[in-house]
Amino acid sequence: MAVIVATDNDFNNVLNSNQNVVVKYYADWCGSCRLFAPKFKRMSDEEGFANVAFVDVNAETSPEARKLASVTNLPFFAVFKNGQLVDTVAASKEEAVRDLINKLTV
């Protein structure tokens, strides 16, 4: 599945349109964010995550979406189930993000 790019304008719509959502908050100047982008895209294509919507949000240009997850650092990941925040992690390790996404399947 393609990674959805969302802004404050459509973020709530994306959350409400998908049961399971993982959001990557990033900034253009963030080197770790750029390095993680191909991993995030690869995970979005995995069969095991077929029922999860992968979403990119620019933390600098979408302050409302950033507030919903209380973003503290970048890259920052948040998982939402049925529009509700489940958990977050500030990490650049793929294993930490996989563990976070797996919380949606419990």
Side-chain angles (χ1 to χ4, degrees):
M1 181 191 278
V3 175
I4 301 164
V5 178
T7 65
D8 276 351
N9 294 334
D10 57 3
F11 187 70
N12 283 324
N13 188 39
V14 170
L15 288 185
N16 294 325
S17 302
N18 298 280
Q19 182 179 359
N20 298 310
V21 178
V22 58
V23 181
K24 179 184 77 179
Y25 293 92
Y26 71 94
D28 293 334
W29 51 262
C30 172
S32 295
C33 301
R34 284 196 300 273
L35 289 172
F36 201 89
K39 296 175 191 171
F40 196 65
K41 170 68 177 121
R42 190 174 63 245
M43 289 190 313
S44 77
D45 291 333
E46 289 181 21
E47 223 174 276
F49 295 143
N51 67 334
V52 178
F54 284 70
V55 180
D56 267 348
V57 172
N58 186 320
E60 290 192 302
T61 59
S62 297
E64 295 305 314
R66 185 178 69 230
K67 282 182 205 165
L68 279 178
S70 302
V71 174
T72 57
N73 230 338
L74 296 174
F76 190 90
F77 299 87
V79 287
F80 294 84
K81 187 169 195 80
N82 298 318
Q84 299 300 310
L85 181 65
V86 174
D87 203 359
T88 63
V89 66
S92 52
K93 297 212 180 304
E94 187 172 342
E95 184 179 326
V97 176
R98 286 181 178 280
D99 289 346
L100 182 70
I101 296 169
N102 286 329
K103 292 181 179 184
L104 291 173
T105 59
V106 178

